[in-house]
């Protein structure tokens, strides 16, 4: 990922201790004591020191290395059974369509693929931040408007060819209590965050099926599993996206060449949630777009389907739904999730301040 562009524009000036998170600790463990190759080095080291097989340090380290290896194999088998074989990904033959690609995560992915020589189409109502990018074509389109999506799909097919990668990334946040939301704001939220994915899938999936080659990436959110106060419309749309992905994956079970990928990130340091501070940076760190982009791009490049959850807590958030309601309320209070929106200002406030450092 050395070709990631303009990373400084996505990095925040964090205190050094803010980089110490449970995700960092687990990443270190996954590359050391939970890595099969590393764990087998331990008994080899003991053996090199002339330890015999009946010595506890040697046979215990062998048992641990074998246990970690079995877990790793089981993980690979589970992924293969769950998501099938990889599809072939050829940079020169792919056409990538990204909704909401004028800023933040979408723009970063678009710029990376553009720099690699992949043909990219960005659909957004806003002009891309930073001006034009190589191999990236911008199409002004309100993806919540079905007729606009239908029209721009024809333009993309004519100009660039048949899209083979669709990244449904467009989203807006109102950040208001239910009674403060206008009917128009609610409708706009669902058109942009949810209906747009239906519109784009209906336009681009037939071409993928014809080629038997494609990837559909749905950017949902950890809030699809836990809906905080002041995010009723946003969380509801993201939960619906998760269900859309699940149903679509089932419908494409007989199409091994078309992969589906669900992404459920936690809070991203993008303008969408400007003003919000995470209640606990160690357990629930704010994600940098570059880290999420790396995982998404690696999955697309590898021809993989599946589910990307970041940070670590987002993989286990669903457990809350099976806990007693009293425990759920206690955890919500302790985490501060329902107080997190108190400082929310959003993209509009950021634009008014003229702050372009995100």
């Amino acid at each position: 990922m050395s070709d990631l562009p303009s990373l400084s524009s996505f990095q925040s000036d964090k205190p050094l201790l803010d980089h110490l998170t449970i995700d960092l600790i687990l990443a270190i463990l996954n590359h050391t004591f939970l890595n099969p190759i590393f764990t087998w080095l331990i008994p080899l080291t003991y053996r090199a020191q002339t330890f015999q097989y009946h010595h506890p340090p040697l046979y215990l380290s062998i048992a641990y290395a074998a246990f970690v290896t079995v877990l790793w194999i089981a993980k690979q088998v589970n992924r293969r059974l769950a998501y099938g074989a990889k599809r072939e990904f050829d940079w020169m033959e792919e056409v990538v369509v990204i909704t909401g690609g004028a800023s933040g995560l979408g723009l970063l992915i678009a710029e990376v693929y553009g720099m690699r020589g992949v043909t990219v189409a960005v659909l957004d109502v806003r002009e891309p931040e930073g001006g034009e990018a190589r191999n990236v074509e911008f199409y002004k389109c309100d993806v919540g408007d079905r007729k606009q999506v239908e029209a721009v799909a024809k333009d993309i097919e004519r100009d660039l060819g048949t899209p083979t990668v669709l990244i449904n990334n467009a989203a807006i946040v109102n950040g208001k209590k239910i009674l403060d939301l206008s009917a128009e704001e609610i409708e706009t939220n669902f058109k942009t965050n949810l209906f747009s994915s239906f519109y784009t899938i209906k336009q681009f999936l037939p071409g993928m099926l014809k080629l038997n080659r494609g990837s559909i990436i749905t950017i949902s959110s950890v809030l699809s599993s836990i809906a905080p106060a002041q995010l009723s419309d946003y969380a509801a749309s993201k939960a619906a996206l998760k269900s859309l992905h699940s149903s679509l994956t089932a419908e494409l079970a007989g199409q091994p060449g078309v992969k589906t990928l669900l992404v459920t990130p936690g809070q991203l340091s993008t303008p969408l949630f400007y003003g919000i501070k995470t209640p606990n940076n160690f357990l629930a760190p704010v994600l940098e777009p570059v880290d999420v982009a790396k995982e998404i791009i690696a999955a697309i490049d590898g021809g993989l389907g599946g589910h990307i959850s970041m940070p670590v807590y987002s993989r286990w958030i669903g457990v809350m739904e099976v806990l007693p309601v009293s425990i759920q309320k206690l955890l919500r209070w302790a985490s501060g999730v329902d107080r997190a929106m108190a400082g929310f200002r959003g993209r509009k406030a950021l634009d008014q301040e003229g702050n372009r450092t995100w």
Side-chain angles (χ1 to χ4, degrees), residues 62-82:
I62 291 175
Y64 176 72
F67 174 70
V68 171
T69 302
V70 169
L71 288 181
W72 183 87
I73 293 173
K75 181 179 178 181
Q76 305 309 312
V77 171
N78 175 67
R79 168 172 280 280
R80 180 60 182 268
L81 292 175

Side-chain angles (χ1 to χ4, degrees), residues 240-260:
L241 276 178
K242 200 161 142 182
S243 295
L244 166 61
H245 164 82
S246 179
S247 182
L248 177 65
T249 301
E251 292 176 8
L252 294 175
Q255 300 290 335
V258 181
K259 297 298 179 181
T260 59

Side-chain angles (χ1 to χ4, degrees), residues 2-314:
S2 59
D3 52 355
L4 283 168
S6 306
L7 297 189
S8 60
S9 63
F10 294 94
Q11 301 295 332
S12 57
D13 297 326
K14 294 181 180 179
L16 184 60
L17 285 179
D18 280 0
H19 293 279
L20 179 61
T21 67
I22 190 171
D23 289 74
L24 176 61
I25 293 172
L26 287 176
I28 293 172
L29 289 175
N30 284 330
H31 285 83
T32 53
F33 294 104
L34 297 178
N35 183 292
I37 296 176
F38 180 90
T39 55
W40 281 109
L41 292 176
I42 300 174
L44 289 175
T45 301
Y46 283 130
R47 189 67 180 137
Q49 295 177 14
T50 69
F51 277 73
Q52 299 302 309
Y53 288 104
H54 63 275
H55 290 156
L58 182 56
Y59 68 71
L60 288 177
S61 62
I62 291 175
Y64 176 72
F67 174 70
V68 171
T69 302
V70 169
L71 288 181
W72 183 87
I73 293 173
K75 181 179 178 181
Q76 305 309 312
V77 171
N78 175 67
R79 168 172 280 280
R80 180 60 182 268
L81 292 175
Y83 306 119
K86 302 175 182 179
R87 83 165 180 91
E88 183 180 350
F89 183 85
D90 185 348
W91 292 359
M92 304 308 296
E93 299 294 329
E94 307 289 336
V95 177
V96 180
V97 175
I98 306 175
T99 67
S103 64
L105 176 64
L107 177 61
L108 184 56
I109 296 174
E111 290 183 334
V112 169
Y113 274 124
M115 291 178 65
R116 291 181 176 182
V118 180
T119 303
V120 181
V122 165
L123 278 56
D124 209 314
V125 293
R126 301 159 57 96
E127 294 284 341
E129 295 178 358
E132 296 183 1
R134 191 178 71 178
N135 296 319
V136 177
E137 295 293 331
F138 171 70
Y139 294 85
K140 189 168 185 178
C141 174
D142 178 359
V143 291
D145 185 321
R146 178 175 56 84
K147 293 188 180 300
Q148 289 191 39
V149 173
E150 291 173 354
V152 82
K154 294 177 181 177
D155 293 340
I156 293 172
E157 182 81 27
R158 182 194 64 233
D159 300 340
L160 309 177
T162 302
T164 53
V165 177
L166 171 62
I167 304 176
N168 282 317
N169 172 70
I172 61 170
V173 177
N174 289 311
K176 297 180 179 180
K177 296 180 179 179
I178 293 178
L179 295 181
D180 295 331
L181 286 166
S182 67
E184 182 180 355
E185 287 174 327
I186 295 172
E187 291 175 3
T188 302
N189 167 82
F190 281 98
K191 285 180 178 179
T192 303
N193 295 2
L194 176 61
F195 295 167
S196 62
S197 292
F198 281 92
Y199 300 154
T200 55
I201 289 170
K202 283 183 68 64
Q203 291 301 312
F204 300 122
L205 178 57
M208 297 181 191
L209 293 176
K210 187 176 180 180
L211 295 173
N212 192 31
R213 187 177 80 249
S215 297
I216 298 177
I217 295 84
T218 301
I219 310 296
S220 181
S221 168
V222 68
L223 300 181
S224 62
S225 298
I226 179 171
Q230 293 184 232
L231 282 171
S232 57
D233 55 337
Y234 180 83
S237 65
K238 291 299 184 179
L241 276 178
K242 200 161 142 182
S243 295
L244 166 61
H245 164 82
S246 179
S247 182
L248 177 65
T249 301
E251 292 176 8
L252 294 175
Q255 300 290 335
V258 181
K259 297 298 179 181
T260 59
L261 178 69
L262 177 67
V263 185
T264 54
Q267 183 184 341
L268 285 167
S269 61
T270 63
L272 204 61
F273 283 97
Y274 176 56
I276 297 179
K277 292 185 178 180
T278 178
N280 189 315
N281 191 71
F282 179 75
L283 295 175
V286 177
L287 297 171
E288 296 294 342
V290 62
D291 296 323
V292 181
K294 273 200 285 190
E295 296 295 326
I296 295 173
I297 291 171
I300 296 173
D301 288 353
L304 300 174
H307 185 183
I308 296 174
S309 293
M310 300 173 66
V312 169
Y313 81 88
S314 67

